[in-house]
Amino acid sequence: MSAYKKELRSTIGFGIVYVLLGHTGLWAVFLGTDNSVRILGLPVHYFIAITLGSLGVLLWSLVWCRYANKLEDEIEAENAGHFSDAKSAHEGSSLATMRPDTIGLPEAAK
């Protein structure tokens, strides 16, 4: 699979997890909570929303950043392979040896 397809799939996957983490308070209410149970003086669904909503998104951002950096290195390596193949294919052609001023571009394009 190409690195660009991995990037697209990871963006969609990480985005879905962001939405789920950002709405954890709603999930807790939807699944049912007892307001008499409190953690640090807050109802359980508030505490879940604060910890998973804020801290969860922060931690998930760190995970995504590390993954995206590795994926970016993979994309650069993949592109380097394509460009080196294209360069070796054009090395014998006359375009590879021409300078920009000898190609005959109009003055405005230079």
Side-chain angles (χ1 to χ4, degrees):
M1 176 184 338
S2 76
Y4 289 108
K5 287 182 183 178
K6 285 183 186 177
E7 184 177 29
L8 178 65
R9 289 182 182 172
S10 70
T11 301
I12 292 170
F14 279 101
I16 289 170
V17 174
Y18 269 120
V19 170
L20 293 176
L21 283 174
H23 295 88
T24 51
L26 293 175
W27 289 105
V29 170
F30 179 71
L31 297 174
T33 59
D34 184 11
N35 280 339
S36 64
V37 178
R38 297 185 178 265
I39 300 174
L40 299 175
L42 297 169
V44 172
H45 64 279
Y46 286 174
F47 185 77
I48 290 172
I50 290 169
T51 55
L52 288 180
S54 300
L55 296 175
V57 167
L58 174 68
L59 294 175
W60 193 245
S61 295
L62 293 173
V63 170
W64 191 5
C65 183
R66 291 186 60 118
Y67 180 79
N69 284 338
K70 290 179 184 176
L71 193 57
E72 189 67 30
D73 292 340
E74 187 177 329
I75 288 172
E76 287 177 8
E78 193 173 284
N79 285 342
H82 282 101
F83 287 131
S84 66
D85 292 343
K87 184 179 177 184
S88 64
H90 291 291
E91 279 181 357
S93 71
S94 61
L95 286 178
T97 59
M98 290 184 142
R99 295 187 323 260
D101 57 341
T102 62
I103 294 177
L105 296 174
E107 282 298 316
K110 290 181 186 178

